[in-house]
C-alpha cells in the first residue's frame, strides 16, 4: 500500500497532512473523484461564487491527478430567491 494525499483548493488551500493508504494510483484517482463529489454535495453553494474547486492527488511529490469543478452562471449574479 502507498500513501496518497488529497489537497483541496476551494477559495483557499487545504493541504492533506495525513494522507490515505491505497493500493495504487488508479485507486487514488477514483478516491479523488468520490471525495470531490462529496465536497460538492456538502457545499454546492460555493460554486455560485465562481470559485474553482480542485482536489489534487499526490504521492508526496507533484500532483499526478486533479479533479476540477467550477460553476459559471449565465447571469452576472444569482438572484436572491435562488439562494
Amino acid at each position: 500500500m502507498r500513501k496518497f494525499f488529497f489537497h483541496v483548493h476551494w477559495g483557499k488551500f487545504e493541504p492533506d497532512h495525513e494522507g490515505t493508504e491505497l493500493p495504487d494510483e488508479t485507486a487514488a484517482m477514483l478516491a479523488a473523484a468520490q471525495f470531490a463529489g462529496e465536497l460538492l454535495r456538502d457545499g454546492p453553494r460555493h460554486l455560485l461564487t465562481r470559485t474553482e474547486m480542485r482536489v489534487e492527488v499526490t504521492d508526496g511529490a507533484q500532483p499526478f491527478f486533479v479533479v476540477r469543478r467550477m460553476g459559471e452562471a449565465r447571469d452576472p449574479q444569482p438572484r436572491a430567491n435562488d439562494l
Side-chain angles (χ1 to χ4, degrees):
M1 297 281 261
R2 290 170 47 197
K3 189 172 271 197
F4 296 92
F5 300 87
F6 301 87
H7 305 303
V8 176
H9 300 260
W10 202 349
K12 64 179 182 173
F13 177 62
E14 298 178 33
D16 177 2
H17 296 292
E18 295 179 24
T20 302
E21 289 191 1
L22 295 165
D24 55 29
E25 289 182 355
T26 299
M29 290 186 284
L30 292 171
Q34 182 174 359
F35 180 45
E38 291 169 2
L39 289 172
L40 289 171
R41 183 188 68 230
D42 293 343
R45 291 176 188 236
H46 292 292
L47 288 177
L48 298 178
T49 65
R50 298 183 184 191
T51 302
E52 180 186 54
M53 183 273 295
R54 291 191 327 261
V55 176
E56 296 180 348
V57 183
T58 76
D59 58 1
Q62 294 295 317
F64 65 84
F65 184 72
V66 178
V67 176
R68 291 188 168 120
R69 288 290 177 253
M70 184 171 136
E72 186 174 329
R74 285 182 273 170
D75 297 332
Q77 295 190 3
R79 296 178 294 277
N81 61 346
D82 290 340
L83 300 176

